[in-house]
């Protein structure tokens, strides 16, 4: 069992995680169309991470004896003007997701729902990494610029990223 308002917000979070996946796929499409396959790979892996996040919420709701609800998703933006804009938007989005996790934590705390508090701690830590990863790449792009050798070196580095689901997930 979960308190109604908390269950509603946990279900909303499945939607936000799935939206994040689609948003990052849209960014992958932009990067691939610009010939930056390493950056596209970065976002393909990010898409997998977000689906993994969504499924963590889905299974948690099930484990608590409730029924997950899959909701409709807003269409993600598809036009971007530069790599810098892509990563600015990705960072802004991760900050928004962090705020959602903090709001969920606040609600779980108010409801004294200790299992949910414990579950959400993983996401609090994960969001620190998510924001750091976007911010890191954004500052590298600002340093090397959009054209020239530097961006191709960064593209080659990002081509190495692979999705590894955490053991406890
Ligand atoms: Fe599911 Fe990127 O946070």
């Amino acid at each position: 069992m979960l308190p109604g308002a908390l269950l509603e917000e946990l279900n909303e979070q499945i939607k936000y995680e799935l939206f994040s996946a689609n948003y990052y796929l849209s960014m992958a499409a932009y990067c691939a169309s610009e010939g930056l396959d390493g950056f596209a790979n970065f976002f393909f892996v990010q898409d997998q991470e977000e689906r993994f996040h969504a499924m963590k919420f889905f299974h948690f709701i099930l484990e608590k004896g409730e029924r997950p609800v899959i909701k409709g998703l807003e269409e993600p933006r598809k036009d971007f003007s530069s790599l810098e804009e892509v990563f600015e938007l990705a960072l802004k989005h991760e900050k928004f997701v962090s705020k959602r996790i903090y709001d969920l934590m606040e609600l779980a705390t108010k409801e004294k729902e200790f299992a949910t508090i414990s579950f959400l701690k993983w996401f609090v830590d994960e969001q620190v990494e998510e924001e750091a990863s976007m911010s890191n790449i954004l500052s590298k792009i600002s340093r090397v610029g959009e054209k020239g050798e530097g961006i191709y070196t960064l593209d080659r580095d990002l081509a190495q990223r692979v999705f590894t689901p955490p053991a406890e997930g």
Side-chain angles (χ1 to χ4, degrees):
M1 285 286 288
L2 281 166
L6 184 57
L7 174 60
E8 174 61 29
E9 288 305 317
L10 289 167
N11 270 316
E12 275 289 295
Q13 196 59 30
I14 296 178
K15 181 184 83 180
Y16 282 110
E17 299 294 345
L18 291 175
F19 173 79
S20 303
N22 284 356
Y23 197 17
Y24 292 139
L25 265 186
S26 187
M27 291 179 181
Y30 167 78
C31 294
S33 74
E34 292 291 305
L36 295 163
D37 292 346
F39 279 92
N41 178 63
F42 172 86
F43 284 113
F44 288 141
V45 174
Q46 198 61 34
D47 161 63
Q48 288 176 285
E49 280 205 0
E50 299 302 348
R51 287 178 202 281
F52 177 80
H53 294 169
M55 291 314 291
K56 267 183 94 79
F57 279 98
F58 187 102
H59 287 297
F60 177 74
I61 292 170
L62 274 182
E63 280 167 16
K64 292 290 286 180
E66 303 282 1
R67 182 169 166 178
V69 177
I70 300 302
K71 303 182 183 197
L73 300 179
E74 197 187 310
E75 198 171 296
R77 176 172 169 159
K78 58 179 185 296
D79 293 319
F80 305 96
S81 58
S82 64
L83 272 180
E84 189 165 39
E85 186 187 31
V86 165
F87 279 87
E88 275 167 0
L89 289 169
L91 177 59
K92 186 175 169 205
H93 184 67
E94 287 303 333
K95 287 184 174 171
F96 165 76
V97 174
S98 298
K99 169 82 170 62
R100 288 251 351 140
I101 300 292
Y102 302 153
D103 289 349
L104 274 167
M105 187 63 110
E106 201 174 339
L107 185 56
T109 305
K110 194 174 122 233
E111 300 277 6
K112 293 189 168 54
E113 226 302 309
F114 299 111
T116 305
I117 292 169
S118 174
F119 168 75
L120 288 171
K121 278 184 183 157
W122 185 90
F123 282 94
V124 171
D125 296 340
E126 176 71 2
Q127 282 310 120
V128 175
E129 277 180 37
E130 294 278 83
E131 285 187 34
S133 135
M134 298 305 179
S135 160
N136 222 316
I137 299 170
L138 179 58
S139 55
K140 283 180 181 157
I141 294 168
S142 311
R143 210 174 317 129
V144 303
E146 304 259 338
K147 308 265 177 241
E149 194 50 37
I151 209 74
Y152 293 105
T153 307
L154 195 48
D155 190 62
R156 274 196 300 275
D157 291 348
L158 295 176
Q160 306 305 316
R161 189 184 189 204
V162 288
F163 174 63
T164 31
E168 81 275 21

